[in-house]
Amino acid sequence: MRTFPQCCCFAIALAAGIGHAAEPGVTATQVRLGMVNAQSGAASGLGRAMLDGATAVFQEANQRGGIHGRRIELVVADDGYDPDRAISETLRLVEEKQVFALFGNVGTPTTNAVIPIVQEMQVPLVGAFTGAMTLRRPVVHEIINFRASYDDESDALVQYFASRGVQRFGVLYQDDGFGNAVLDGTVRALQRRGMELVAKGSFQRGTTAVKAGLAALIGHDLQAVIMAGPYTPVAAFMREARQAGLKAALATVSFVGTDSLLQLLGTQGNKLVISQVVPLPEDRRLPIAADCATLLARHVPAATLSFVSFEGCISATLMVAALRRAGADLTRERLIRSFETFDRLDLGGLRVTLGPDNHQASTAVFLTRIADGRIVPVDPEPGAK
C-alpha cells in the first residue's frame, strides 16, 4: 500500500502529465512528429532521402536546445508507396503514437488517401513530397506545402520545349493520382499555348510494365514526351523507348527521384530534361544548400545532399521556423497560423510566402538535364543571355 505522501506525489505527477498532454504529441520537453512514406519498395529512395534531410535539421535543432525547450521526436512508418498502408500507418501514428503533426509524406496517391484523416482529426500535414493540386486548390487548412505544384512543373517543361519549336507532345504517366495530376497539368499547359496533347500511354503503379504505354506513343510523330513516374519505371521506359526507336525528346518531373534515376541510367539518361523544385544541391553559393550539406555530414554522414534530401532539409527548416514562431504554448492551430504569417521568409537564399489563402510556400521550378551522366542546368532559351 502506498503511503499518503507517495499517493500525493503520484497524483501531482499525473496531473502535471495531463496538463502537458492537452495537445497530442506535446509535452514540456518534447514534440512528436510522424513521417509516413516509402521506406521500402520501388520508391524507397525517395522516402529515405526525405528522412535523411529532415533528420539532419531536427537533430541540429535538438542539439541546440530544441524548440522552446522541446526536443523534436520523429516517428517513422513505412507505407511502401501503397495508399492502403498509408491510411493504416497514419491512423496508427495519430491514434496510438499521438503525433502532434505529420511531416514528409511521399507520393500523390498515398498523400491523397490520408487527406480525410488529417481533416477529420485536424492534424497538420507539412512538406509532402508531391505537387498534386488536391493538396493546394482549394486550400486544405491542415496541409502546408513547400514545393511547387505539378501544374507549375508541367508548365515549365511545356514552355521549355515550345520555345524550341516543339508542337507534338505525348505523356507517359503512372495510372493513379500522381500520373493523372501531371497529365492534367500538361494538357492545361498545352491548351494555354493553343496546342493539344497528341498521344498518351500509361503503366500501373509499382510495376515496370511500360511496353503497353510505349506502344500507345509510337507512331504519332511525337517531338517530346513528358513522363510521370518514379525512377524505376521511368528508367525502364527510357531503355525500351530507345530500343523501339522513339525519337522524341524525353522529360520528367521532380518526383522521379533524380539521383536514384541517375544511378540506374548513367550516361544512358543523357539529354533527359528534369524539372526540379529545389536548386542544384551542389550550388553551395546558396546558403541553405551549404547549410544542408553541413547538417547532413554532421548528423547523417552516410547520406549525400541529393535533390530529394535537399527538399527534405528545406521543408524541415520551414517546419522548425513555424514551430518557433508558434510559441511555447504550442497547439496544432497555432502551428498552422504561424505558417500563414510567413511573408517572403528567407530560408537561406530561398524566400517563401504563405497565407490563409495560400498553403504553397514556393512556385519555383528549376530545369535540369542529364549530360555526360551528370545533372546540369538546361541550356538557356533561344535568344536568352
Side-chain angles (χ1 to χ4, degrees):
M1 180 180 293
R2 292 189 182 95
T3 65
F4 179 73
Q6 288 175 322
C7 291
C8 289
C9 289
F10 177 77
I12 291 169
L14 181 62
I18 292 172
H20 289 311
E23 194 75 0
V26 179
T27 71
T29 59
Q30 184 183 85
V31 56
R32 185 179 302 120
L33 306 180
M35 174 180 278
V36 181
N37 66 27
Q39 295 294 308
S40 65
S44 61
L46 307 178
R48 292 173 183 173
M50 281 293 286
L51 176 59
D52 288 341
T55 297
V57 173
F58 295 153
Q59 292 277 29
E60 182 69 12
N62 289 342
Q63 283 195 1
R64 293 175 178 270
I67 312 297
H68 300 292
R70 296 186 179 98
R71 292 177 56 84
I72 298 173
E73 179 191 2
L74 184 62
V75 183
V76 181
D78 179 16
D79 65 21
Y81 195 38
D82 177 80
D84 290 337
R85 286 174 63 183
I87 291 171
S88 61
E89 290 299 321
T90 298
L91 286 171
R92 183 176 68 86
L93 293 196
V94 172
E95 294 179 338
E96 297 178 21
K97 296 297 185 179
Q98 291 283 290
V99 297
F100 170 71
L102 298 164
F103 176 88
N105 288 44
V106 168
T108 299
T110 47
T111 308
N112 278 346
V114 303
I115 291 176
I117 298 173
V118 302
Q119 288 184 296
E120 181 177 342
M121 306 185 79
Q122 298 180 318
V123 182
L125 191 162
V126 179
F129 187 78
T130 167
M133 293 307 294
T134 48
L135 278 68
R136 291 162 170 80
R137 287 288 180 269
V139 168
V140 179
H141 180 69
E142 292 80 10
I143 296 178
I144 301 292
N145 304 285
F146 158 69
R147 59 167 26 233
S149 70
Y150 291 140
D151 276 23
D152 296 324
E153 292 192 68
S154 299
D155 192 78
L157 289 172
V158 169
Q159 173 59 29
Y160 172 76
F161 286 113
S163 71
R164 285 155 174 76
V166 171
Q167 294 184 324
R168 298 185 64 81
F169 285 81
V171 172
L172 175 83
Y173 65 102
Q174 184 168 280
D175 191 10
D176 62 6
F178 160 50
N180 279 286
V182 177
L183 172 64
D184 293 345
T186 302
V187 169
R188 285 190 287 268
L190 289 170
Q191 289 175 344
R192 282 192 289 270
R193 293 164 176 84
M195 294 184 282
E196 298 291 332
L197 186 69
V198 175
K200 61 183 180 180
S202 65
F203 62 93
Q204 294 301 307
R205 182 180 64 248
T207 75
T208 56
V210 296
K211 289 185 178 180
L214 174 60
L217 298 171
I218 294 290
H220 292 279
D221 196 25
L222 298 175
Q223 296 172 289
V225 172
I226 295 175
M227 303 173 290
Y231 50 92
T232 308
V234 166
F237 176 82
M238 291 184 66
R239 293 191 184 103
E240 294 284 351
R242 179 170 294 181
Q243 292 179 6
L246 183 68
K247 302 298 184 183
L250 299 178
T252 189
V253 296
S254 60
F255 186 82
V256 73
T258 299
D259 299 274
S260 296
L261 181 66
L262 194 59
Q263 289 179 6
L264 291 176
L265 289 176
T267 56
Q268 290 181 319
N270 284 352
K271 297 184 180 180
L272 174 68
V273 177
I274 310 171
S275 58
Q276 313 288 356
V277 297
V278 298
L280 286 170
E282 60 266 30
D283 185 1
R284 303 298 159 76
R285 295 171 299 178
L286 194 67
I288 194 166
D291 290 346
C292 287
T294 298
L295 295 182
L296 270 177
R298 182 179 301 158
H299 299 291
V300 196
T304 57
L305 191 64
S306 65
F307 283 97
V308 182
S309 63
F310 193 15
E311 182 171 340
C313 179
I314 295 170
S315 296
T317 300
L318 183 63
M319 182 70 164
V320 167
L323 286 168
R324 292 194 190 282
R325 184 166 292 192
D329 189 11
L330 183 61
T331 67
R332 288 168 169 169
E333 184 59 27
R334 285 193 180 95
L335 178 68
I336 296 298
R337 289 179 182 175
S338 72
F339 276 115
E340 293 176 341
T341 66
F342 291 145
D343 184 11
R344 292 187 56 77
L345 174 71
D346 188 353
L347 294 179
L350 289 179
R351 292 192 178 274
V352 298
T353 295
L354 290 157
D357 299 321
N358 172 32
H359 279 197
Q360 178 180 306
S362 172
T363 59
V365 177
F366 308 85
L367 295 186
T368 62
R369 62 186 176 91
I370 299 179
D372 299 323
R374 297 173 53 249
I375 303 297
V376 299
V378 298
D379 300 324
E381 291 188 8
K385 295 182 180 179

